[in-house]
Amino acid sequence: AQKVTQTQTSISVMEKTTVTMDCVYETQDSSYFLFWYKQTASGEIVFLIRQDSYKKENATVGHYSLNFQKPKSSIGLIITATQIEDSAVYFCAMREVTNAYKVIFGKGTHLHVLP
Amino acid sequence: GALVYQYPRRTICKSGTSMRMECQAVGFQATSVAWYRQSPQKTFELIALSTVNSAIKYEQNFTQEKFPISHPNLSFSSMTVLNAYLEDRGLYLCGAFWGVKDTQYFGPGTRLLVL
């Protein structure tokens, strides 16, 4: 069965620092896709970055990057030079190739960026 | 870029009545659309997955009789909550899949309040 676990319920960091949010997943598939989303206070959900399981290089988009450790079934999100507006709930998600379009979400990590 | 609109953003209905919500993909053709309900605790519940020209697949605890979905083309989907009760309250999210890599993009959600 597929499962996504985010153990950090809430994290607080100072502005302009780097933060890492953890996510581990369970899957029986050899091919899968991993995603990170951000949900703002208004409820809007924004796609941030994705990692395909067959790719060894860690994905990077802007000040978001991933720490993909496949043997550990881990996909951490790293945000560098955090800004106040990065404060939001961050969701890790997974989609298996064989389970077309079914996306499993973690419970989210609430990031507070402090001035 | 990929944009997903949902209408209405917020709705209040009396217990036992029904309400319809819409989801529109703008700027891309959505190969599939997933409908979710997000609880106040931020947990995602997948209601159903709809792919054009294929049968709509409902998750356990959700039925077509309660949440009928229409997906007539690659840019539009609608879902109705029939006989809404208190337990149906929540943020209803539409996630449209786009692109070769089928990343899921979300609308802003329809918040349903039941009185």
Side-chain angles (χ1 to χ4, degrees):
Chain A
Q2 47 181 332
K3 186 178 179 181
V4 175
T5 302
Q6 295 178 254
T7 56
Q8 300 157 308
T9 304
S10 180
I11 302 175
S12 293
V13 300
M14 300 302 295
E15 191 180 11
K16 300 180 184 177
T17 61
T18 295
V19 63
T20 298
M21 283 175 270
D22 301 329
C23 175
V24 292
Y25 56 90
E26 296 176 23
T27 178
Q28 302 299 318
D29 272 25
S30 57
S31 292
Y32 47 89
F33 309 103
L34 301 163
F35 307 86
W36 278 91
Y37 290 87
K38 165 186 176 181
Q39 187 171 31
T40 63
S42 68
E44 181 187 10
I45 298 178
V46 179
F47 164 68
L48 297 177
I49 191 169
R50 68 179 277 161
Q51 180 81 36
D52 298 345
S53 64
Y54 57 86
K55 292 187 176 180
K56 294 182 179 179
E57 308 80 30
N58 289 322
T60 298
V61 176
H63 75 146
Y64 303 107
S65 61
L66 296 177
N67 180 16
F68 181 39
Q69 299 184 55
K70 194 171 183 178
K72 295 183 179 180
S73 296
S74 171
I75 184 72
L77 173 68
I78 303 167
I79 306 177
T80 56
T82 52
Q83 302 164 7
I84 300 296
E85 50 266 35
D86 291 324
S87 298
V89 180
Y90 289 79
F91 292 95
C92 176
M94 176 179 67
R95 178 166 74 85
E96 295 172 331
V97 171
T98 56
N99 214 344
Y101 301 117
K102 181 170 182 177
V103 180
I104 301 299
F105 288 85
K107 292 187 180 298
T109 296
H110 200 158
L111 175 65
H112 303 269
V113 180
L114 307 172
Chain B
L3 289 175
V4 179
Y5 290 105
Q6 284 189 252
Y7 178 83
R9 292 292 302 273
R10 184 183 176 96
T11 186
I12 302 173
C13 67
K14 291 184 177 180
S15 182
T17 63
S18 302
M19 69 82 52
R20 178 172 177 264
M21 54 190 76
E22 300 178 349
C23 172
Q24 179 144 21
V26 178
F28 69 103
Q29 292 186 324
T31 48
S32 286
V33 171
W35 285 93
Y36 299 88
R37 181 170 66 198
Q38 190 180 35
S39 69
Q41 295 74 33
K42 302 293 186 185
T43 301
F44 284 83
E45 289 182 282
L46 176 63
I47 297 171
L49 192 57
S50 175
T51 302
V52 175
N53 298 324
S54 296
I56 298 170
K57 186 179 178 183
Y58 286 84
E59 288 294 293
Q60 195 173 11
N61 300 327
F62 296 96
T63 65
Q64 183 180 4
E65 291 70 31
K66 172 72 175 177
F67 299 95
I69 290 171
S70 172
H71 192 177
N73 57 57
L74 289 172
S75 64
F76 183 82
S77 177
S78 66
M79 183 177 74
T80 301
V81 181
L82 295 175
N83 299 317
Y85 289 100
L86 288 176
E87 58 264 29
D88 295 319
R89 292 175 301 177
L91 181 65
Y92 287 82
L93 293 159
C94 160
F97 290 88
W98 175 54
V100 177
K101 292 188 173 183
D102 290 328
T103 294
Q104 187 174 226
Y105 292 88
F106 285 90
T110 294
R111 188 166 298 281
L112 174 63
L113 299 174
V114 181
L115 302 178

